[in-house]
Amino acid sequence: RQQGMTAVREFLENRDPVKPLVMSFHGSTGTGKTYVSSMLVRYLFQGGLRSPYVHQFSPIVHFPHAERIEQYKENLKRWIQGNLTKCGRSAFLFDEMDKMHPGLIDVIIPFLGPSWVVYGTNYRKAIFIFISNAGGEQINEMTLDLWRARRDREEISLQDLVPAISKAVFENPQSGFWKSGIINEHLIDFVVPFLPLKRHHVKQCVVSELVQQGLDVRPALVQEVADSIPYFPEEEKIFSSTGCKTVASRISFFL
């Protein structure tokens, strides 16, 4: 994630980037993909996700009907084009990219490359963030394998995980990425894996949620909520199965 923040900083400092910044966040549910992307846009734009220059898309919400794919393609092209015309420094967040129809991904491709102008729009200062659960299972398995080999989560490098993500996401015929030209044309600048969370991370999430709700941070309560979360593997129970996803809803049960 540190690499991702460095990439963003360097991109912003470049007055004449050759292409938009394209990052792909991968990991299982509750590991912080959406949280980090919202943190990123808060850093970049006043109002964060509510900024008129930040645009979120979800295939389930915005493109639910497969039979309307041609209309969706036209809509998506116009949305991106129109928003970039208003502000070249726009950010586009695509949630659940693994559920995105390949045809829709193809619409995005012309906006991601090194061309100067596409559809009459100067778009090189834009930021695209793809968020996906795809590869999460492989990231979890590899993190567990490395833990069994006595390498802690904090010692895992990006190089350890990229082959697993590539196989799961970019070489998988079922993946929308695989069927699109994004991979062949090397349009993704940074792949950012999100590792499964350990118990102490879950506790941090509980504390953060309690503070946000204006509640007392009692160590016993924090422990109870953290202990109620499912962990894997079955015997050792090292990593949270749901990340921090269910923390907020569980707190009320222990008050």
Side-chain angles (χ1 to χ4, degrees):
R1 290 176 214 181
Q2 189 60 45
Q3 186 195 27
M5 295 305 268
T6 305
V8 172
R9 197 173 297 116
E10 287 176 358
F11 178 74
L12 293 174
E13 287 168 0
N14 185 349
R15 291 186 177 186
D16 193 24
V18 294
K19 69 182 286 297
L21 178 65
V22 184
M23 297 191 289
S24 195
F25 291 0
H26 296 269
S28 54
T29 302
T31 50
K33 302 181 299 295
T34 303
Y35 176 72
V36 170
S37 61
S38 65
M39 199 165 64
L40 202 54
V41 295
R42 272 204 310 273
Y43 166 72
L44 294 172
F45 300 91
Q46 190 173 359
L49 290 168
R50 291 188 299 277
S51 165
Y53 310 117
V54 175
H55 312 282
Q56 274 185 297
F57 300 95
S58 167
I60 291 172
V61 175
H62 295 102
F63 319 117
H65 306 293
E67 67 276 11
R68 296 188 194 166
I69 190 68
E70 292 308 314
Q71 182 60 53
Y72 292 154
K73 283 162 76 171
E74 188 58 38
N75 290 350
L76 183 57
K77 177 179 159 183
R78 281 185 188 160
W79 272 334
I80 298 176
Q81 190 178 345
N83 287 316
L84 284 175
T85 303
K86 287 177 194 166
C87 176
R89 182 67 89 190
S90 291
F92 299 89
L93 277 57
F94 288 85
D95 286 316
E96 301 183 286
M97 192 69 178
D98 44 318
K99 296 184 177 73
M100 183 84 84
H101 189 285
L104 284 168
I105 296 178
D106 290 337
V107 168
I108 306 168
I109 288 175
F111 295 99
L112 308 180
S115 305
W116 273 66
V117 175
V118 69
Y119 305 134
T121 305
N122 184 345
Y123 69 100
R124 291 166 301 135
K125 292 183 177 179
I127 295 172
F128 290 83
I129 300 175
F130 301 140
I131 300 167
S132 172
N133 285 351
E137 201 175 310
Q138 288 76 11
I139 291 168
N140 289 357
E141 280 174 19
M142 186 150 276
T143 306
L144 193 54
D145 288 344
L146 291 165
W147 175 79
R148 285 179 173 140
R150 303 195 184 283
R151 281 184 63 192
D152 199 17
R153 183 183 181 281
E154 281 67 33
E155 298 172 51
I156 298 171
S157 70
L158 182 63
Q159 285 67 34
D160 290 323
L161 296 167
V162 165
I165 298 171
S166 294
K167 195 165 186 181
V169 182
F170 307 138
E171 297 168 30
N172 177 2
Q174 302 307 312
S175 163
F177 274 121
W178 187 83
K179 293 173 185 171
S180 80
I182 286 183
I183 307 310
N184 294 342
E185 296 179 35
H186 307 289
L187 296 176
I188 295 176
D189 300 299
F190 292 94
V191 172
V192 185
F194 284 72
L195 307 185
L197 305 182
K198 294 176 84 170
R199 200 172 293 257
H200 71 273
H201 298 118
V202 174
K203 285 183 178 179
Q204 288 169 5
C205 292
V206 177
V207 170
S208 175
E209 189 61 38
L210 287 169
V211 170
Q212 210 169 310
Q213 291 186 28
L215 300 167
D216 286 341
V217 179
R218 291 185 289 109
L221 175 61
V222 173
Q223 188 70 49
E224 278 184 311
V225 177
D227 287 345
S228 75
I229 303 277
Y231 294 87
F232 71 92
E234 193 61 41
E235 285 180 27
E236 297 97 331
K237 299 191 185 317
I238 302 297
F239 301 106
S240 169
S241 303
T242 53
C244 280
K245 200 76 171 180
T246 59
V247 162
S249 58
R250 284 171 184 264
I251 284 174
S252 57
F253 290 112
F254 296 93
L255 293 175

